Amino acid sequence: MTNRLGDLPRVAVVGIGNPLRNDDGAGILVARELTRREHVAGMNHVLVIQAGHAPENVTGELREFAPNLVLLVDAAEMRDVPGAICWVPIQAIEGMSASTHSLPLSMLARYLTLELHCDVALIGIQPKSNDVGEIVSAEVQAAVNEIVNEMCDACLVKKPAY
């Protein structure tokens, strides 16, 4: 996804969820931690958004940024162990169980693909609990840390050419 000049793609990381429902706030935690990292904050090819439970409300900001890739990060019921991380194919979002969002992510993904002419991907984190509360399980916190570290180490930082 580099252009002919070798520039990195424009990536928008959209943290989704409700931090008042325990592990459902996982996507928000990823976005919050990424914004705290100095080297991410200084990158003009990366936009990090804490979208909350209504990610459709940030489409204007995404349109202005003109990303090549929108990376949605959200707690997702995948029938796996708490804290499991999975790339969820956009086609599979349709079949996912009901979420806490006001608009289904499948609809948002289709909209972004058609309107912004960008790729859309979802990283799902298996929650342990979506009950009301602000306590993130240790398993989900570990998954958040792993995702943030991987994004910083692998895909968001331009590696020096040797």
Side-chain angles (χ1 to χ4, degrees):
M1 287 190 63
T2 58
N3 67 21
R4 62 184 169 80
L5 299 176
D7 293 335
L8 288 173
R10 296 175 65 76
V11 178
V13 179
V14 180
I16 302 170
N18 184 345
L20 300 177
R21 295 195 58 115
N22 292 333
D23 292 339
D24 189 56
I28 298 293
L29 293 175
V30 168
R32 188 176 297 155
E33 185 57 34
L34 283 172
T35 60
R36 290 182 180 148
R37 304 280 176 116
E38 282 184 39
H39 63 279
V40 174
M43 294 180 179
N44 62 4
H45 69 282
V46 177
L47 173 67
V48 180
I49 301 173
Q50 296 179 44
H53 69 280
E56 64 274 11
N57 291 341
V58 301
T59 57
E61 194 173 352
L62 290 171
R63 182 181 299 281
E64 185 177 318
F65 181 68
N68 302 103
L69 171 65
V70 174
L71 183 56
L72 307 172
V73 184
D74 193 13
E77 179 52 55
M78 302 176 292
R79 302 182 204 276
D80 208 333
V81 297
I85 302 167
C86 185
W87 282 100
V88 180
I90 294 303
Q91 308 86 313
I93 295 175
E94 286 282 344
M96 293 179 71
S97 62
S99 70
T100 59
H101 313 305
S102 52
L103 180 74
L105 288 183
S106 58
M107 188 177 291
L108 176 64
R110 279 195 304 274
Y111 171 82
L112 293 173
T113 301
L114 293 171
E115 290 296 316
L116 303 184
H117 308 289
C118 64
D119 292 320
V120 179
L122 170 66
I123 295 178
I125 302 169
Q126 176 67 51
K128 185 173 188 176
S129 168
N130 283 336
D131 294 337
V132 174
E134 297 181 55
I135 299 171
V136 176
S137 68
E139 298 92 337
V140 168
Q141 185 61 58
V144 166
N145 295 342
E146 182 179 339
I147 290 168
V148 169
N149 289 334
E150 287 293 323
M151 285 184 178
C152 289
D153 291 345
C155 58
L156 296 183
V157 179
K158 191 170 191 172
K159 302 290 184 194
Y162 294 105

